[in-house]
């Protein structure tokens, strides 16, 4: 299958009197098949970045790694929480390009190159109905379930019918009104519930990632909130309580006002994710370090959305500098140091794919980059025991 990504439009700065919590003061912000172009601009990091508190780390091992270096008597202290948080570090995951049927092979090939098993595998789905062999709208395909035997799954569920006619495209208003319950929402809720009952496993579920790029085409911010809450409540009514609700935004701070207006509320969100990249020549910007791509959005979320929800770098990566090919490897080498200073970031998922357009390949470009990432994900902070 080919994955459809939301169209990421540039937008002007928006402000709103949205609510926020915590001790911080308010900070003003400085359908065809195939991959969809990301037309958002990268985050331009402000000159002032507030330093985050360094997280104390215990050294852990991967299930197939070296002997456990933790002190005796600490067994169990780093077990995941009920919301799948790793208390002793951060999960490592990835989006690995695949067709639906070869997911397992592609994931295993990626893992062989990085030298370890992924903690989280990221996949994408629409809200289409089954047509022949079509399974794009089916959450937890057989392939995903087999991959999920030894890994966690992050399922991105989009209010689209990829390749479908205009009349087939769901809207937030329709979803909020329950018009898709019988045909779509209830069907998938029961699948996820059955999966949990059979395996004891939970899944991360994101409804309309990067929803800030989807308005007004899909509806208003209020209609998005209504749709998100309706799906959440419908799952609960049907007993599908093995879902970790993950709200994923672009992190592009010109959309800050939208983020506040489109936040469903603390009772409807378990994790918050954001997608920030070093696009470089893809968007004709300066080269940005990993730290520059992440910290400003991180601090803004902590000030304006939540000061305590676990955070996820749900997509991160870098383009290549053709004049200095070694730069990509150097960029990845900085990830563990920076990640440890991003308070509350409990997962980081590498985007190993390209965007359409010249200079927009965000996948790992050469052996040096792969070696660099291999060293990064061997860091004890990113090498969590799956229990």
């Amino acid at each position: 299958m080919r994955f459809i990504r939301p169209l990421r439009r540039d937008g002007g700065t928006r402000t709103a009197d949205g609510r926020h919590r915590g001790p911080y003061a308010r900070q003003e912000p400085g359908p065809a098949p195939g991959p969809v172009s990301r037309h958002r601009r990268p985050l331009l990091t402000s000159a002032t970045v507030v330093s985050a508190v360094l997280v104390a780390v215990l050294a852990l091992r991967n299930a197939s790694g070296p002997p456990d270096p933790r002190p005796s008597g600490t067994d169990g202290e780093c077990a995941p929480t009920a919301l799948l948080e790793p208390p002793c570090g951060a999960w490592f995951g990835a989006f690995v390009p695949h067709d639906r049927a070869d997911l397992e092979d592609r994931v295993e090939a990626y893992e062989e190159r990085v030298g370890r098993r992924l903690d989280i595998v990221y996949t994408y789905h629409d809200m289409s109905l089954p047509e022949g062999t079509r399974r794009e709208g089916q959450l937890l395909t057989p392939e995903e379930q087999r991959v999920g035997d030894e890994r966690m799954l992050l399922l991105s569920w989009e209010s689209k019918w990829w390749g479908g006619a205009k009349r087939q495209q769901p809207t937030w208003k329709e979803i909020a009104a329950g018009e898709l319950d019988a045909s779509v929402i209830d069907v998938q809720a029961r699948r996820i519930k059955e999966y949990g009952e059979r395996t004891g496993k939970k899944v991360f579920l994101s409804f309309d990632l990067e929803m800030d790029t989807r308005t007004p085409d899909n509806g208003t911010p209020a209609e998005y909130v209504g749709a998100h809450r309706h799906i959440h409540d419908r799952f609960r009514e049907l007993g599908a309580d093995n879902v970790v609700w993950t709200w994923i935004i672009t992190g592009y701070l010109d959309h800050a006002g939208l983020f506040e207006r489109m936040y469903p509320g603390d009772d409807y969100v378990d994790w918050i994710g954001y997608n920030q990249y070093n696009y470089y020549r893809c968007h004709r910007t300066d080269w940005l370090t990993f730290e520059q791509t992440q910290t400003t959005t991180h601090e803004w979320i902590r000030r304006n959305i939540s000061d305590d929800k676990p955070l996820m770098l749900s997509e991160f990566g870098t383009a290549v500098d053709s004049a200095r090919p070694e730069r990509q490897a150097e960029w990845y080498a900085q990830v563990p140091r920076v990640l440890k200073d991003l308070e509350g970031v409990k997962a980081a998922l590498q985007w190993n794919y390209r965007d359409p357009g010249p200079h927009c390949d965000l996948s790992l470009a050469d052996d040096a980059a792969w070696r660099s990432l291999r060293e990064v994900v061997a860091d004890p902070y990113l090498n969590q025991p799956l229990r």
Side-chain angles (χ1 to χ4, degrees):
M1 104 166 246
R2 292 183 179 273
F3 293 99
I4 308 305
R5 303 303 313 284
L7 178 62
R8 308 180 183 190
R9 296 184 298 268
D10 288 341
T13 301
R14 302 170 185 250
T15 60
D17 295 326
R19 67 184 181 87
H20 60 285
R21 298 165 309 290
Y24 300 107
R26 177 180 174 82
Q27 173 181 310
E28 292 302 323
V36 170
S37 170
R38 305 173 184 212
H39 292 301
R40 67 166 187 232
R41 283 173 282 182
L43 170 65
L44 300 180
T45 307
S46 77
T48 304
V49 177
V50 180
S51 297
V53 179
L54 180 63
V55 180
V57 183
L58 295 174
L60 303 175
R61 65 169 174 84
N62 170 277
S64 60
D68 192 340
R70 290 176 296 173
S72 60
T74 64
D75 189 39
E77 291 182 4
C78 293
T81 68
L83 294 180
L84 303 184
E85 302 168 81
C88 301
W91 303 121
F92 172 67
F95 168 72
V96 181
H98 61 276
D99 293 319
R100 189 69 67 191
D102 67 356
L103 175 64
E104 298 161 274
D105 291 341
R106 294 295 186 94
V107 167
E108 290 172 1
Y110 180 98
E111 291 174 333
E112 184 175 356
R113 294 207 72 174
V114 295
R116 56 160 286 185
R117 182 179 299 149
L118 288 169
D119 297 318
I120 303 175
V121 172
Y122 198 0
T123 60
Y124 296 80
H125 295 269
D126 66 9
M127 286 187 167
S128 60
L129 302 177
E131 289 185 338
T133 60
R134 181 182 180 86
R135 292 188 295 155
E136 277 66 30
Q138 183 184 95
L139 302 182
L140 290 173
T141 64
E143 294 83 3
E144 287 171 337
Q145 294 190 39
R146 288 193 291 270
V147 166
D149 283 345
E150 296 179 316
R151 306 163 188 86
M152 291 173 286
L153 298 171
L154 170 57
L155 309 176
S156 175
W157 200 16
E158 302 184 17
S159 60
K160 296 290 184 184
W161 186 308
W162 298 332
K166 184 176 181 180
R167 61 179 173 78
Q168 294 173 307
Q169 303 305 317
T171 68
W172 294 331
K173 186 176 182 180
E174 292 169 341
I175 294 170
E179 295 180 25
L180 274 69
D181 284 0
S183 60
V184 176
I185 308 302
D186 294 2
V187 173
Q188 302 309 322
R190 292 188 178 104
R191 284 184 63 82
I192 290 179
K193 176 184 177 181
E194 187 279 331
Y195 175 75
E197 291 175 340
R198 179 168 47 82
T199 67
K201 289 179 172 289
K202 296 184 177 182
V203 297
F204 294 99
L205 180 63
S206 169
F207 169 62
D208 267 348
L209 86 163
E210 300 188 345
M211 75 299 298
D212 51 297
T213 67
R214 298 175 184 268
T215 186
D217 293 347
N218 280 43
T220 67
E223 288 169 345
Y224 166 77
V225 170
H228 181 108
R229 291 179 176 179
H230 177 79
I231 293 173
H232 177 281
D233 291 346
R234 191 65 184 163
F235 271 54
R236 177 174 293 175
E237 290 170 12
L238 294 173
D241 56 3
N242 58 317
V243 170
V244 178
W245 296 93
T246 309
W247 185 69
I248 298 176
I249 58 177
T250 61
Y252 174 55
L253 290 185
D254 270 15
H255 291 181
L258 279 174
F259 300 152
E260 292 180 307
R261 292 162 62 199
M262 302 182 87
Y263 183 60
D266 288 347
D267 291 342
Y268 293 87
V269 173
D270 297 318
W271 286 60
I272 296 172
Y274 64 95
N275 302 337
Q276 280 293 304
Y277 293 87
N278 172 36
Y279 279 112
Y280 193 43
R281 293 176 65 196
C282 177
H283 288 279
R284 293 175 291 185
T285 66
D286 293 336
W287 181 271
L288 300 177
T289 66
F290 175 71
E291 182 174 16
Q292 288 173 314
T293 63
Q294 305 301 322
T295 51
T296 302
T297 297
H298 172 272
E299 293 300 329
W300 185 90
I301 290 171
R302 281 305 192 219
R303 290 173 184 269
N304 295 278
I305 301 296
S306 173
D307 59 7
D308 61 358
K309 294 284 185 187
L311 305 180
M312 177 185 295
L313 309 185
S314 37
E315 296 176 15
F316 78 93
T318 179
V320 175
D321 182 351
S322 57
R324 292 175 53 188
E326 72 280 4
R327 256 182 150 181
Q328 191 181 54
E330 294 168 354
W331 191 93
Y332 277 106
Q334 301 304 308
V335 169
R337 175 186 62 79
V338 174
L339 195 62
K340 294 168 189 177
D341 283 342
L342 293 175
E343 180 275 324
V345 172
K346 297 294 185 178
L349 281 64
Q350 192 250 343
W351 176 263
N352 197 48
Y353 201 32
R354 61 164 295 113
D355 278 359
H359 315 297
C360 291
D361 194 343
L362 300 168
S363 60
L364 295 162
D366 54 30
D367 289 342
W370 279 103
R371 284 194 300 271
S372 179
L373 185 63
R374 187 182 182 100
E375 293 177 5
V376 164
V377 301
D379 188 288
Y381 194 77
L382 280 163
N383 219 347
Q384 302 294 305
L386 284 172
R387 295 179 182 273

